[in-house]
Amino acid sequence: MALRVATWNVNSVSTRLERVAAWLESAKPDVVCLQELKVSTDEFPTAAMSELGYESAAHGRGRWNGVAILSRVGLADVVRDLPGQPDYEGVVEPRAISATCGPVRVCSVYVPNGREVGHAHYVYKLRWLHALVGAAAAEAGAGLPFAVLGDYNVAPTDDDVWDPALFVDATHVTPQERAMVEALREVGLSEVMPRALKHAWPFTFWDYRQLAFPKNNGMRIDLVFGNPGFTGAVTDSYVDRNERKGAGASDHAPVVVDLDLES
DNA sequence: ATGGCCTGATCTTCAGGA
């Protein structure tokens, strides 16, 4: 069966609801991982998603963070948080949710930003990524096609930032962060590399400031890592940069993955 | 065509984003 899976950091699901709804209707994904909901679980627009044909499972706690999974091919075995997920200042933040959607299992993640190298939030980010590697290791061999999709807040290579010279000693590019992403490969996952709809490289994020989008000053930090059952079924993948255009856009664009699965 | 920040709460000012 053909299956379209996507991930999108929407930067407030409330503010973005009209655009998300329009995109669901035009792109017609079967499974969508959302990040940065910025609402609590009970404020998630479950009814609106249902009207669009999607079951949803959300995990949010108000102003910051928040993740969800939408599916129109079934939604079962929902797990919130990661095993061993670290807290920040005493709070285990809503940054991960997993579910089985028809033939695939997906994990929607919003990795901590890190703020500055050496900051407590940066240490937290590395610990969080370590927990993600552990969770991915457990899921990768569980049998189903499986993928971790979301805002990793890490640019895997220097090609994934518009100007590496501007990122010296910055978060998102440090060897420590990149090593944690590489560790996903060591536990049996590999990356689904999307194509760009325009320009040479498939950036997924462009800052709101300083005309970053029209100048294509972007970063590729929204990533998809899957086990062989998932990546082996991929027929296409692209970043839908059109969603970064116009009024009321998120600063991230959706990443779309098309699969052709046996069942 | 894109467009010189945006979002939500502590709410007219700020933290956080990356």
Side-chain angles (χ1 to χ4, degrees):
Chain A
M1 68 180 284
L3 196 76
R4 172 163 280 184
V5 180
T7 180
W8 193 6
N9 177 325
V10 292
N11 187 16
S12 172
V13 74
S14 307
T15 299
R16 213 68 58 210
L17 187 54
E18 281 189 26
R19 282 194 71 134
V20 171
W23 187 75
L24 292 174
E25 292 194 310
S26 62
K28 299 180 171 30
D30 299 296
V31 179
V32 185
C33 295
L34 300 176
Q35 301 87 35
E36 278 210 85
L37 305 179
K38 298 189 172 180
V39 295
S40 60
T41 300
D42 58 7
E43 292 169 329
F44 187 81
T46 306
M49 297 305 174
S50 180
E51 285 173 20
L52 291 159
Y54 291 88
E55 291 179 82
S56 55
H59 184 28
R61 198 174 289 114
R63 183 177 187 184
W64 305 113
N65 314 308
V67 286
I69 296 172
L70 310 178
S71 175
R72 58 179 193 178
V73 292
L75 187 57
D77 298 325
V78 174
V79 176
R80 289 172 173 80
D81 303 323
L82 302 173
Q85 183 177 318
D87 67 277
Y88 186 67
E89 297 181 339
V91 178
V92 176
E93 298 172 322
R95 293 178 175 276
I97 188 169
S98 304
T100 300
C101 303
V104 299
R105 185 155 182 84
V106 296
C107 179
S108 174
V109 296
Y110 178 46
V111 178
N113 170 288
R115 297 185 190 163
E116 294 175 10
V117 175
H119 193 286
H121 207 264
Y122 176 77
V123 177
Y124 167 55
K125 179 180 192 175
L126 294 177
R127 287 186 181 138
W128 205 96
L129 284 164
H130 182 74
L132 178 62
V133 172
E139 296 269 28
L144 287 176
F146 165 73
V148 180
L149 307 96
D151 180 354
Y152 284 60
N153 269 317
V154 179
T157 74
D158 280 353
D159 286 333
D160 297 314
V161 295
W162 79 93
D163 184 356
L166 297 175
F167 284 82
V168 174
D169 298 326
T171 60
H172 296 62
V173 302
T174 66
Q176 290 84 358
E177 290 161 273
R178 287 175 170 170
M180 295 310 302
V181 172
E182 285 303 306
L184 289 172
R185 304 184 197 276
E186 293 162 18
V187 300
L189 304 187
S190 58
E191 192 178 1
V192 178
M193 188 67 190
R195 61 192 166 82
L197 295 187
K198 186 181 177 183
H199 301 300
W201 202 251
F203 293 139
T204 66
F205 164 86
W206 299 261
D207 201 288
Y208 286 123
R209 292 166 285 190
Q210 298 178 309
L211 292 171
F213 182 60
K215 292 176 179 173
N216 199 34
N217 290 346
M219 303 172 73
R220 195 177 72 85
I221 55 177
D222 299 87
L223 311 176
V224 178
F225 276 85
N227 68 1
F230 187 94
T231 59
V234 173
T235 57
D236 190 19
S237 181
Y238 63 94
V239 178
D240 192 352
R241 73 182 292 282
N242 293 323
E243 276 308 311
R244 182 61 181 80
K245 295 180 180 178
S250 170
D251 41 3
H252 296 251
V255 180
V256 175
V257 181
D258 286 324
L259 304 167
D260 188 8
L261 290 150
E262 297 277 327
S263 49

